[in-house]
Amino acid sequence: MPFTIATWNINSVRLRMPIVERLLKEHAPDVLCLQETKVPDELFPEKAFRKAGYEHILFHGQKGYHGVATVARRPIELVEKRRFCEIDDSRHLSVRVQAGGKSVLVHNFYVPAGGDEPDPEINRKFRHKLDFVHEMNGVPANGDELSASILVGDLNIAPQEHDVWSHKQLLNVVSHTPVETTNFEAMRKAGGWVDLMRLNVPAEQKLYTWWSYRAKDWEASNRGRRLDHVWSSANLVPAFAGYEILQAARGWEKPSDHVPVIARFDLD
């Protein structure tokens, strides 16, 4: 059986626990990384995860906003809850998990959305986003014979032309502006990270993981963006066995506007 890892911006884990349980029951990833959990640590729904067979639970949360959590069917060890940009807003969690004889460092990220105005001089949220991505240059994709790295999460940037429904119309929209995409790809490459979702997918093929709540019929309009990502260190590429974007989850009851992405590795 492969080692599987899922990432999902759940947009409130307590509100959407029923669909999280559905994901765990139907797909049973070894590790699930959640973003935008919107819950302080003392109120995280641990019992529900344990009941679903996920006994190993780590979280980094706060009341009402942001927050990340990583849960697993196998032991995980806390490595770091990193504070970015000198702001305590619960956007990162890293853990170690054993898979296929390797110690795999798993980073779970929730990058700031950046607000609506793509001008760092007048929009402090956009400035925060750019600064956050710059600081991610300090997160390398380390790996050797006995170790490897995976980075997943809602990174809130659609870097390539066909990661959005209309490159031309979204060039001035936060998440796809040139300053974001250029800095984002430079950061990824500088850290030695491999974009697994684009590894064997043609550049002209559309890939989306997010559909706005504002669309009356998200499926018919299909105006999506690829905001959720799965990266790895280069030494995991030979073990990468593919991934699935669970687009159907956007239509589940009380859905998140993001859908899960599940990546598979032949490590076990």
Side-chain angles (χ1 to χ4, degrees), residues 6-96:
T7 180
W8 194 4
N9 177 319
I10 194 58
N11 191 16
S12 179
V13 66
R14 289 185 293 174
L15 177 64
R16 305 191 205 284
M17 198 62 213
I19 60 173
V20 174
E21 292 170 332
R22 177 174 176 176
L23 172 75
L24 299 179
K25 181 179 179 180
E26 294 182 2
H27 297 275
D30 293 296
V31 177
L32 169 63
C33 295
L34 297 171
Q35 303 87 40
E36 205 171 358
T37 53
K38 295 184 177 180
V39 61
D41 290 349
E42 63 271 17
L43 296 180
F44 191 85
E46 292 187 69
K47 290 183 178 179
F49 282 101
R50 296 187 193 283
K51 185 177 180 181
Y54 288 74
E55 295 281 345
H56 307 282
I57 303 167
L58 290 167
F59 36 72
H60 184 197
Q62 63 183 80
K63 183 179 180 180
Y65 299 95
H66 319 315
V68 290
T70 300
V71 302
R73 296 191 295 168
R74 60 179 72 188
I76 52 176
E77 173 191 355
L78 175 64
V79 175
E80 186 180 20
K81 299 178 180 181
R82 184 163 173 173
R83 183 172 181 249
F84 280 76
C85 303
E86 297 300 316
I87 298 174
D88 293 315
D89 57 357
S90 306
R91 293 183 178 276
H92 171 262
L93 175 67
S94 60
V95 307
R96 287 197 183 277

Side-chain angles (χ1 to χ4, degrees), residues 84-199:
F84 280 76
C85 303
E86 297 300 316
I87 298 174
D88 293 315
D89 57 357
S90 306
R91 293 183 178 276
H92 171 262
L93 175 67
S94 60
V95 307
R96 287 197 183 277
V97 60
Q98 298 297 317
K102 289 186 182 295
S103 175
V104 182
L105 177 63
V106 178
H107 291 281
N108 181 359
F109 269 100
Y110 178 42
V111 171
D116 295 324
E117 179 59 53
D119 185 343
E121 299 303 319
I122 64 175
N123 179 5
R124 62 178 180 81
K125 292 182 178 179
F126 194 64
R127 174 79 270 164
H128 180 207
K129 182 176 191 176
L130 297 180
D131 290 345
F132 194 102
V133 170
H134 177 74
E135 197 167 322
M136 285 177 68
N137 277 277
V139 183
N142 293 326
D144 55 31
E145 186 177 346
L146 298 177
S147 66
S149 301
I150 294 173
L151 189 156
V152 302
D154 175 7
L155 305 187
N156 260 317
I157 294 173
Q160 297 190 25
E161 179 176 347
H162 293 287
D163 288 340
V164 295
W165 64 273
S166 173
H167 173 64
K168 183 177 180 179
Q169 294 185 65
L170 270 67
L171 275 174
N172 293 315
V173 175
V174 174
S175 79
H176 194 60
T177 65
V179 66
E180 292 173 273
T181 58
T182 299
N183 292 349
F184 184 81
E185 284 291 86
M187 173 271 292
R188 180 184 65 79
K189 292 174 182 177
W193 294 102
V194 178
D195 179 357
L196 296 177
M197 294 175 69
R198 279 292 182 187
L199 189 62

